[in-house]
Amino acid sequence: MATARIYQRPKNAMQSGRARTDAWLLEFSPAEAKRPDPLTGWAGSGDTREQVRLGFPTQEAAIAYAEREGLAFTVIAAPERKLKLQAYADNFR
């Protein structure tokens, strides 16, 4: 049985914009552990569902898709945004 997680993408900490943070994503949990490739040494597995990431406009749409397809899912709440308000004059105190 495939398990999935539904979450909202957090804001990138390196940029000030909030583009694409309102969309909800559905990702599948890895079914098997990664192991090193004997030739290259890169980590990989035979699980191709790990490469799939589906985007949805709302949380309800993502949940409806998972229920329709018979997927076990976990909804991860969006992180709460904390604003750090400070004035420019605070740099000189």
Side-chain angles (χ1 to χ4, degrees):
M1 180 86 183
T3 59
R5 65 184 187 125
I6 298 172
Y7 67 98
Q8 196 170 17
R9 183 181 303 177
K11 183 181 94 58
N12 186 351
M14 300 301 291
Q15 298 177 349
S16 61
R18 293 195 312 252
R20 300 189 310 179
T21 58
D22 55 344
W24 287 82
L25 299 176
L26 183 140
E27 286 184 344
F28 292 98
S29 301
E32 60 184 56
K34 293 187 185 239
R35 57 189 181 281
D37 182 52
L39 181 62
T40 62
W42 294 356
S45 69
D47 183 23
T48 57
R49 285 181 295 173
E50 193 174 341
Q51 301 170 5
V52 177
R53 179 181 294 157
L54 302 174
F56 297 93
T58 62
Q59 178 183 359
E60 291 79 19
I63 291 173
Y65 174 82
E67 289 175 347
R68 186 178 72 232
E69 297 298 321
L71 300 172
F73 63 91
T74 303
V75 177
I76 300 172
E80 183 179 329
R81 286 192 293 220
K82 299 176 187 173
L83 297 176
K84 181 180 177 185
L85 299 175
Q86 75 181 54
Y88 179 70
D90 292 341
N91 294 332
F92 302 103
R93 291 183 187 190

